[in-house]
Amino acid sequence: MNIERGDSIKFGEQWCNKHGSEELSGKTIKLTPQYFEEDNGLYVNYSECPGIYDKENEEAESIYHLFGNHFENFMDCKLIKGTDADKEEYEKIIKDQREVEAKSWG
């Protein structure tokens, strides 16, 4: 499976029931950039990955958190490929985030 920036996921009923996310059943959600810490014991890096933001728990969920590292938990969800405009919107979000970070560093 090749999930890319700007793609969307239509959440299946089976997946939602298994993961306690019934409110997502049948909904299509566009993936957005999510940022995660990677701590190797010496230093911390931040990496970007397509995912969704869970407002209720105030937590980012990457595609790997949602579906497994090899998408083994994708179940009855459907991948909807993003258009060029979707991909451009995704890239703009990343660019804006990098500008905010650069300003915070002075």
Side-chain angles (χ1 to χ4, degrees):
M1 182 170 301
N2 186 20
I3 297 178
E4 300 176 306
R5 296 172 168 181
D7 290 347
S8 297
I9 302 294
K10 182 172 183 179
F11 287 89
E13 184 178 349
Q14 184 183 31
W15 185 92
C16 291
N17 289 337
K18 182 175 180 181
H19 293 91
S21 299
E22 289 81 7
E23 72 281 359
L24 293 176
S25 185
K27 290 188 179 178
T28 300
I29 298 178
K30 188 186 305 182
L31 300 173
T32 58
Q34 301 301 324
Y35 298 90
F36 303 94
E37 283 186 2
E38 295 178 24
D39 186 348
N40 70 4
L42 296 173
Y43 54 87
V44 175
N45 280 328
Y46 291 91
S47 62
E48 174 267 322
C49 179
I52 63 173
Y53 186 75
D54 179 356
K55 292 178 185 174
E56 183 177 314
N57 295 314
E58 297 181 350
E59 184 173 79
E61 297 284 347
S62 77
I63 55 174
Y64 305 110
H65 289 140
L66 293 167
F67 306 117
N69 289 338
H70 303 287
F71 304 108
E72 62 272 14
N73 299 320
F74 201 71
M75 302 172 76
D76 61 338
C77 296
K78 291 185 174 70
L79 173 63
I80 300 166
K81 297 304 286 178
T83 63
D84 288 340
D86 293 331
K87 292 174 185 178
E88 288 173 14
E89 181 182 340
Y90 192 101
E91 292 297 329
K92 182 180 180 327
I93 292 168
I94 293 172
K95 180 181 175 226
D96 292 346
Q97 178 64 31
R98 287 184 180 147
E99 288 175 2
V100 168
E101 288 174 13
K103 287 180 184 176
S104 72
W105 287 98

